Amino acid sequence: MRQIANQSRGVLSQGNMGAEVKGVTNGLSTDPLTLPQWVLVQQQKEAPHARGNLSILLNAICVACKFVDSAVRKAGLSDLLGLAGTGNIQGEDQKKLDIVANEVFINVLRRSGQCSVLVSEEVDDEVIIEGGGEYSVVFDPLDGSSNIDCGVSIGTILGIYKKEKTEAPSVKNVLKSGRELVGAAYCLYGSSCSMVLSVGKQPAHFTLDPSLGEFVLTTPAMSVPEKGNIYSINEGNSVLWDTAVSRYVQECKNPSNGGSPKSLRYVGSMVADVHRTILYGGIFMYPADRKATKGKLRLLYEGNPMAYLVESAGGRAITHEGPVLDIVPASIHERCPIFLGSRIDIEELEAFLHAKA
Ligand code: AHM
Ligand code: MG
C-alpha cells in the first residue's frame, strides 16, 4: 500500500498536512471540524488563558440540541405529538415536546456547572442555581410549537450572559440589554439539523451529521446578503397593522420604482424564518399591531438572541423605534416587535416607519 506523505514519519504539522493528505476524498469530508473542536480552537486563539468554562457550556448546549433533534425526529413514533394538557405563563397550551425540550435544557445546563440563572419560555420564573457558574442562559426550548404536529421545521433559541464574579445570581443577571450578550445560538430541527452560533464574531453554521452524532462546521462565517427579495410576515394580521407597516408590505408587493415584487415566505417558526433570512436575505417581521400592542415575540429568548446573530452576520434588527439590542428588559417574559434582515431592506422599511402618517 502506498504511504501517505509525512504521515508515515509521524510529522503532520498544524496547517501543513502534507501534499497527499486532503480534506475531501471521493466527495466525503475527511477533515470534519466538530463544534466542540471548533470551540476549543476559538478559545485557544481568542482567550488562551480561559479555563474552558464557555466550552463546557457550549458542549452542554450541543448535547441538549442533539437530544431534542432526536426526540423531534421520532415524535410520531413515541407518542410525543400533541398537547401535554398544561399551559405556560403566557397562557399558551404546552405541547409534549415543549415540556421534554424544556426539561432537557434545564437538566443539561444545570449539570454543566456553568450556569447560575436560567430563563425558559416554559417556566414562569427564573431558575436560580446555587453554587453554579458565571453564565446565565435564556432560551426558548422549542420555538414554533404550532408546527410540531405537522412535521414543519421548529427550533431552539438561546442567549448567553456572563456575570461578574462578585455579582450574586439573580434575575438582574439577565435583565440587561442584548448588547451585553456574550453569545447566542439557534438550532433548527428542519430537513437537516443546523446550529448557528456566535460568541462575539460572525456566526458559524454547523450541520448535525447523524452518522457521527456531531455538529460539523459547514460555514465558518455567515453574512446576511445586503438586500434580498423575500418578505416574511403573518399577513393574516394585516387588518391590525399600523399604516407604516401596511404601506411597507404594499411596497414589497408592488414596488413604487416598478421593480419586481418580493416573494412572500412565512413558515411561522421564527428559527426557520430567520435562518432563511440569514442565508437568502430579505426581511422577517413580527410587528406590534392593534391587538398585540408589543408584538408577539419575547425579547429575552427570541428577539435578542436573533437580533444578536443577525447583527453579528452584518444584518440589522429593529423595533418600530430603534435597535432591538438597545432595549433594557423590565421582566423576563416581556414581548417586543421585531423587524430583522438585510441591511438595505431594513433601511427601506425605516423610511416608512419614520415617515409622517
Ligand atoms: P412559540 O414560542 O409559542 O412557538 O411562538 C413563537 C412563534 C415564532 O416561532 C413565530 O415567528 C411566531 O410564533 C408565529 O406566530 P403567528 O402564528 O402568530 O404568526
Ligand atoms: Mg417561541
Side-chain angles (χ1 to χ4, degrees):
M1 198 208 295
R2 195 163 61 102
Q3 285 189 321
I4 297 173
N6 288 346
Q7 262 193 355
S8 57
R9 302 198 303 274
V11 291
L12 280 182
S13 62
Q14 215 49 55
N16 174 14
M17 300 287 281
E20 294 185 44
V21 181
K22 302 193 181 79
V24 179
T25 295
N26 296 337
L28 200 64
S29 169
T30 54
D31 188 18
L33 181 60
T34 67
L35 200 153
Q37 288 172 321
W38 178 87
V39 170
L40 281 177
V41 173
Q42 298 302 311
Q43 287 286 92
Q44 277 160 10
K45 261 198 291 189
E46 308 292 332
H49 303 299
R51 286 161 299 151
N53 294 344
L54 184 61
S55 308
I56 296 171
L57 175 62
L58 295 174
N59 282 338
I61 289 172
C62 272
V63 170
C65 290
K66 286 192 265 187
F67 186 105
V68 173
D69 181 63
S70 158
V72 166
R73 307 240 170 252
K74 59 187 182 212
L77 304 168
S78 336
D79 193 26
L80 276 174
L81 296 179
L83 293 173
T86 50
N88 63 17
I89 194 163
Q90 7 250 341
E92 297 158 345
D93 289 331
Q94 290 171 309
K95 299 273 175 73
K96 291 178 190 169
L97 271 179
D98 283 324
I99 309 264
V100 168
N102 182 55
E103 279 181 23
V104 170
F105 273 95
I106 295 210
N107 287 332
V108 169
L109 291 170
R110 182 179 45 78
R111 193 164 313 106
S112 77
Q114 305 308 320
C115 303
S116 49
V117 181
L118 303 178
V119 168
S120 164
E121 175 175 353
E122 304 303 337
V123 182
D124 298 0
D125 299 312
E126 65 279 5
V127 176
I128 305 288
I129 302 170
E130 295 298 338
E134 294 157 67
Y135 292 99
S136 300
V137 181
V138 292
F139 56 97
D140 182 350
L142 205 54
D143 185 61
S145 306
S146 67
N147 280 324
I148 291 176
D149 293 348
C150 58
V152 170
S153 300
I154 47 187
T156 295
I157 310 172
L158 305 113
I160 304 171
Y161 292 91
K162 190 175 182 186
K163 70 177 182 65
E164 297 298 326
K165 282 198 189 64
T166 50
E167 227 177 321
S170 86
V171 72
K172 286 190 195 148
N173 303 156
V174 295
L175 290 181
K176 296 176 173 174
S177 86
R179 302 262 176 229
E180 298 200 40
L181 284 164
V182 296
Y186 62 75
C187 187
L188 172 68
Y189 313 109
S191 52
S192 60
C193 178
S194 282
M195 172 96 79
V196 170
L197 164 70
S198 166
V199 278
K201 296 258 162 18
Q202 264 176 286
H205 180 196
F206 301 84
T207 304
L208 182 64
D209 180 333
S211 58
L212 295 180
E214 294 279 8
F215 284 102
V216 175
L217 183 68
T218 37
T219 311
M222 300 174 86
S223 304
V224 184
E226 291 254 283
K227 186 167 170 55
N229 58 12
I230 294 174
Y231 75 102
S232 185
I233 189 168
N234 184 342
E235 287 232 37
N237 293 330
S238 61
V239 70
L240 304 169
W241 295 340
D242 66 19
T243 314
V245 173
S246 301
R247 285 186 181 155
Y248 174 71
V249 171
Q250 191 51 35
E251 176 72 17
C252 290
K253 297 179 188 186
N254 187 11
S256 48
N257 65 5
S260 302
K262 289 186 190 296
S263 293
L264 167 64
R265 297 282 184 276
Y266 188 73
V267 178
S269 287
M270 187 189 198
V271 176
D273 283 314
V274 170
H275 191 58
R276 184 201 54 246
T277 304
I278 294 179
L279 290 178
Y280 297 174
I283 186 164
F284 166 80
M285 302 173 269
Y286 212 112
D289 62 35
R290 266 196 289 119
K291 204 161 131 207
T293 52
K294 293 187 136 195
K296 173 183 180 186
L297 300 176
R298 274 52 59 118
L299 175 62
L300 242 68
Y301 41 80
E302 293 175 328
N304 268 341
M306 290 310 204
Y308 178 92
L309 288 164
V310 166
E311 292 212 350
S312 304
R316 292 189 56 203
I318 61 169
T319 66
H320 296 253
E321 275 94 36
V324 171
L325 292 177
D326 285 348
I327 305 170
V328 178
S331 61
I332 58 174
H333 294 294
E334 86 181 44
R335 296 174 195 264
C336 78
I338 191 161
F339 306 90
L340 60 78
S342 296
R343 185 182 60 77
I344 294 174
D345 289 304
I346 295 288
E347 276 168 19
E348 286 173 5
L349 165 74
E350 279 176 320
F352 286 85
L353 295 179
H354 300 157
K356 297 258 179 305

